[in-house]
Amino acid sequence: MSELSEKVGDLLAQQNWDSAFDEIEAARNADPFSAEGWVLQSQLALELKNIDDALGAVEHALRIAPNFAPAMYQMAYVLRAQNQVPDALVWYARAFSIHPVLADSLGWCHVMVLSFGEYVLAMPIAEYWTVQRSSDAAGWFLFGTCCLAMRQTATEPLKRAWELDSSILDLPNNLGGAYLLQGDLNQAEHWLQVALERQPEDENTQSNI
């Protein structure tokens, strides 16, 4: 993060809108072709709920620098504010592929996996989280869930999630599915029974058994 972005970010966090505007305006006047200045303009507009202005500013940033990751992240936030969540997820995943950041990435990954089933988009984010935050069960659960959905070996990440936090609701069912996928029927039956005890009315668990 540049010194300018950090300074403006602090001002936005303080809701010091006028000072943020002055910093952004000075930066844009100094270099009208800086994508960063337009991203910051978009961030300010989004904070002020001026969605159209936020969209226009970030679109301008992307015209200047189509592969500028901060602009791509910002486009994701603007689209989410417009309730265009599927498109926002695509933009977020593109930005992450260029410049991964932790920040709120697990929240985005959660939505990709559990709300939209976008496993291909989510998998690199979940895997990155397991490396950067290896003691966080949620990252292992999401990574394992992506692996399972893509019919890849999922037992190890899901077992790691279980070791860290056995309270995650769908973990036993996913472990059962992972063992079914690799042909271990004994382990599959064990975990699906655990899942059935936890969610006796769950149709997915019942169908697997």
Side-chain angles (χ1 to χ4, degrees):
M1 179 182 294
S2 73
E3 183 177 340
L4 174 63
S5 290
E6 187 171 356
K7 185 173 185 179
V8 172
D10 289 342
L11 291 171
L12 294 180
Q14 298 163 14
Q15 298 187 358
N16 191 339
W17 314 127
D18 290 340
S19 295
F21 176 83
D22 290 343
E23 290 290 339
I24 296 166
E25 189 74 1
R28 285 175 48 212
N29 287 337
D31 184 358
F33 298 103
S34 167
E36 181 184 25
W38 288 97
V39 170
L40 295 173
Q41 180 68 33
S42 177
Q43 290 175 357
L44 174 59
L46 190 59
E47 288 286 346
L48 296 174
K49 311 299 182 187
N50 296 329
I51 308 300
D52 290 342
D53 290 347
L55 180 61
V58 75
E59 285 178 337
H60 192 80
L62 286 165
R63 284 194 291 271
I64 294 170
N67 294 317
F68 186 47
M72 298 168 81
Y73 279 117
Q74 180 62 15
M75 178 61 84
Y77 291 116
V78 172
L79 290 172
R80 185 176 64 178
Q82 293 182 317
N83 293 317
Q84 298 182 44
V85 179
D87 290 336
L89 298 179
V90 172
W91 276 99
Y92 191 93
R94 287 177 184 167
F96 193 90
S97 71
I98 293 173
H99 182 70
V101 293
L102 280 175
D104 56 353
S105 61
L106 196 66
W108 283 85
C109 186
H110 190 278
V111 173
M112 290 174 186
V113 172
L114 301 181
S115 299
F116 289 89
E118 292 285 1
Y119 304 108
V120 173
L121 296 182
M123 194 168 185
I125 301 172
E127 186 173 18
Y128 185 79
W129 195 271
T130 66
V131 174
Q132 300 297 322
R133 295 287 187 271
S134 60
S135 62
D136 191 325
W140 289 104
F141 169 69
L142 291 171
F143 180 51
T145 300
C146 290
C147 291
L148 179 60
M150 297 169 68
R151 302 190 68 78
Q152 300 178 14
T153 301
T155 51
E156 291 306 315
L158 292 173
K159 282 166 58 181
R160 179 65 175 146
W162 179 266
E163 292 167 1
L164 292 167
D165 183 2
S166 61
S167 70
I168 297 175
L169 188 62
D170 290 330
L171 248 178
N173 186 52
N174 286 11
L175 272 163
Y179 278 110
L180 273 178
L181 185 63
Q182 67 183 47
D184 190 335
L185 299 184
N186 289 332
Q187 282 293 321
E189 183 178 8
H190 164 73
W191 286 108
L192 291 172
Q193 286 294 340
V194 174
L196 194 60
E197 292 169 8
R198 181 175 287 191
Q199 301 182 82
E201 304 301 323
D202 186 72
E203 294 180 1
N204 290 330
T205 304
Q206 292 173 350
S207 65
N208 283 333
I209 291 178

